[in-house]
Amino acid sequence: MNGQMVVGTAFASLADSVRPLRRAREFLGSPGCAAEARLLADRFLQQLEAEWCAALGDGRGDDVLLVVNELVTNAERHSHGPYLLELEGTERQVIVTVYDSSSALPRRYERDPGRPGRHGMEIVHVLSDRLVAERVPVGKRVQAMFEL
């Protein structure tokens, strides 16, 4: 297992002396938002590779895109309101953050290949190097960190 789940604790910024590449967008939950979020993340990763020489080989970029999809899908399904996707990265790491209006923290179910559905947080937990979920004044924030 790559991931570590931390609930209620935020982690430090990418680097104190370097401003990371950042992108953010609010989504209203209308049809096609998950696809738009993946497209935003894909363009972000392309820019990170080109401008920061980030090494996204060995499927690491695909891992980030899948986690974006899972977190955005969860926000759409559970928040019943707008949500915000933030992407932040350098040549060494990428952080995916989703804010939504639901204060219910995500639940990670134990592995069960026979269970239909509810595998999203299991996937996010396995693919990310660190996972943080915490309540914020307007709902919750879920962050997945990837070391490159």
Side-chain angles (χ1 to χ4, degrees):
M1 172 173 72
N2 288 345
Q4 169 188 352
M5 184 159 190
V6 177
V7 177
T9 306
F11 49 89
S13 180
L14 291 175
D16 292 335
S17 62
V18 176
R19 289 206 180 274
L21 177 64
R22 289 190 173 123
R23 295 289 174 267
R25 181 161 174 213
E26 181 181 77
F27 294 92
L28 301 177
S30 55
C33 283
E36 290 176 32
R38 284 190 311 273
L39 183 59
L40 175 71
D42 188 49
R43 289 180 179 154
F44 169 83
L45 293 174
Q46 289 175 15
Q47 187 177 2
L48 195 63
E49 281 185 302
E51 294 177 13
W52 285 80
C53 300
L56 294 169
D58 299 330
R60 201 58 166 157
D62 292 335
D63 292 349
V64 171
L65 293 176
L66 182 53
V67 166
V68 165
N69 188 74
E70 291 298 331
L71 294 181
V72 164
T73 299
N74 284 350
E76 280 184 26
R77 184 171 292 144
H78 301 292
S79 71
H80 308 293
Y83 55 91
L84 177 69
L85 168 65
E86 290 183 344
L87 303 164
E88 186 174 309
T90 67
E91 76 281 0
R92 293 180 297 175
Q93 60 185 341
V94 172
I95 298 174
V96 175
T97 305
V98 175
Y99 292 87
D100 70 47
S101 61
S102 170
S103 62
L105 295 176
R107 182 173 176 196
R108 183 177 153 252
Y109 294 89
E110 291 303 315
R111 186 171 182 220
D112 180 359
R115 182 182 64 244
R118 300 196 184 260
H119 295 281
M121 290 310 292
E122 178 184 339
I123 292 167
V124 171
H125 182 76
V126 168
L127 295 179
S128 61
D129 293 303
R130 185 160 183 200
L131 181 62
V132 177
E134 64 183 346
R135 288 181 182 89
V136 295
V138 295
K140 73 173 164 291
R141 173 177 66 181
V142 179
Q143 291 182 315
M145 185 179 71
F146 300 84
E147 297 295 335
L148 303 180

